[in-house]
Amino acid sequence: MIGARIAARASVAALLLTCTGCGSDQSAVNPSSRPARDITTLWWWMMSIAWIALAVVVGILLVAFVRRGRAAGDRSDRAGWAVVLTNGIALPLVVLVALFVIADVFLIRTTRAPAQGATDMTVEVVGHQWWWEFRYPGHPAVTANELHIPTGTRVEIVATTADVIHSFWVPALNRKIDMIPGSRNRIELDADRPGRYRGQCAEFCGLQHSHMGLYVVAEPPSRFQAWLARQSSPSRTPAGALQRQGADLVINGSCADCHTIRGTAASGTVGPDLTHVASRSTLAGLTLFNDRAGLASWITGNQTLKPGNQMPNIELPPDELSAVIAYLESLR
């Protein structure tokens, strides 16, 4: 009965449950770290100067409009040239050079990659079409699309890609960095306060580029350590007949060809690690909410939700679909 209801809702969920942009602030002017505050400060200065420059230009145009038709002489011509040279050349040159020095000399120092050994921990980020993989060196934990970090801690992000060029960007925490095949790029994240910060791939990477979001979950160090310990543990043993049926379908079926579930025979590397998939709030790069209907929609209709991704639609009878979802929901 439950399986039948889920199957019936799957086609509706494909239209109703997409959560691209779901929750969390992705504003570059709402910083939560020192580098992001420096970037925001520079932006406000540039915006203010731009408005002042616009006001000056409009003011000069208004003066010229009011004084039009008056007799012009050598003196007025000289005054006009003085205005042009001062406001049209000298002043913009000084302002632009000053902004360049501030942005490219001082600001780059605060947002550039951290020095070797300067951070407290490292997280490896791998971009895929169209999802994110996060690895924690020294721990077996592997997650997808939701990066956890401790607050008040300097975290080095080492970013690369498994396919095309991507760009890692969490506006509230730092600037963007490109992820280039065969290269490892680095940046520092340091969240001031607990929260969930939304990020996005900022480099066009194919058909579903706009559906490649991520969350950075910043939490107190003690909670982060507890989370990391849970994520480092093997998958739970299924409890009950329904979960055991689902585990058999997942581990001995086609799912194991693409996904890893630590503690089982499933060891695929094409798709996200599912060892603790139920601990995540979203699916497929923040495309769906991670609930029963979302899981059903993704399993049976992912090519409708996210055309071109590497997972085929999987047609299952309602009872088998219900069993698979029960097992996946147990992987916390």
Side-chain angles (χ1 to χ4, degrees):
M1 189 69 176
I2 295 176
R5 285 202 302 269
I6 293 174
R9 291 174 60 193
S11 60
V12 177
L15 297 175
L16 299 182
L17 291 181
T18 51
C19 67
T20 299
C22 48
S24 300
D25 185 15
Q26 195 176 334
S27 171
V29 293
N30 187 20
S32 294
S33 71
R34 175 185 49 80
R37 279 194 297 274
D38 291 342
I39 293 171
T40 301
T41 300
L42 175 64
W43 186 88
W44 281 115
W45 272 102
M46 294 177 67
M47 175 62 75
S48 301
I49 291 171
W51 279 106
I52 293 171
L54 176 62
V56 170
V57 170
V58 171
I60 292 173
L61 290 174
L62 289 174
V63 170
F65 178 79
V66 171
R67 298 181 61 182
R68 73 190 188 286
R70 294 185 182 180
D74 292 341
R75 184 174 180 181
S76 60
D77 290 342
R78 286 195 299 271
W81 277 108
V83 170
V84 170
L85 292 174
T86 301
N87 296 321
I89 299 177
L91 187 58
L93 184 63
V94 170
V95 171
L96 291 175
V97 169
L99 288 174
F100 173 81
V101 171
I102 294 172
D104 290 2
V105 176
F106 296 104
L107 185 62
I108 288 297
R109 294 181 180 180
T110 67
T111 62
R112 65 186 177 186
Q116 194 70 31
T119 54
D120 302 308
M121 64 174 290
T122 299
V123 178
E124 295 177 352
V125 180
V126 182
H128 300 263
Q129 289 179 306
W130 291 275
W131 58 281
W132 304 89
E133 180 180 3
F134 302 113
R135 296 181 174 272
Y136 295 77
H139 302 271
V142 180
T143 65
N145 304 315
E146 297 182 12
L147 166 63
H148 286 242
I149 63 173
T151 55
T153 303
R154 299 183 65 185
V155 180
E156 179 184 28
I157 300 297
V158 180
T160 187
T161 174
D163 36 59
V164 301
I165 296 176
H166 300 283
S167 188
F168 179 86
W169 188 33
V170 185
L173 299 181
N174 209 331
R175 62 181 176 86
K176 65 186 73 170
I177 55 170
D178 286 336
M179 307 165 75
I180 301 172
S183 177
R184 290 162 66 87
N185 207 351
R186 299 159 55 244
I187 199 170
E188 179 184 325
L189 297 185
D190 182 359
D192 292 340
R193 56 184 183 271
R196 188 171 68 169
Y197 305 100
R198 197 183 193 283
Q200 182 71 36
C201 177
E203 179 74 27
F204 181 73
C205 55
L207 180 63
Q208 295 299 318
H209 163 67
S210 61
H211 290 161
M212 190 173 171
L214 68 111
Y215 282 141
V216 174
V217 181
E219 49 200 350
S222 59
R223 291 187 58 183
F224 168 78
Q225 291 300 330
W227 173 88
L228 185 59
R230 290 192 300 271
Q231 294 292 316
S232 298
S233 64
S235 61
R236 290 183 177 181
T237 302
L242 189 62
Q243 289 185 16
R244 286 194 293 270
Q245 179 190 2
D248 180 66
L249 289 167
V250 170
I251 296 168
N252 298 314
S254 60
C255 299
D257 295 333
C258 296
H259 298 280
T260 290
I261 301 177
R262 296 193 310 277
T264 75
S267 57
T269 58
V270 177
D273 187 300
L274 300 181
T275 305
H276 299 288
V277 63
S279 67
R280 303 167 199 159
S281 61
T282 64
L283 299 169
L286 277 58
T287 304
L288 288 172
F289 294 111
N290 188 6
D291 56 15
R292 293 174 71 80
L295 283 166
S297 298
W298 184 251
I299 292 169
T300 61
N302 62 83
Q303 288 299 327
T304 300
L305 290 163
K306 207 166 182 177
N309 83 88
Q310 296 190 48
M311 180 175 171
N313 291 338
I314 300 175
E315 296 299 329
L316 292 173
D319 59 332
E320 292 187 1
L321 179 61
S322 182
V324 167
I325 291 174
Y327 173 60
L328 294 177
E329 286 191 315
S330 74
L331 299 178
R332 298 189 176 276

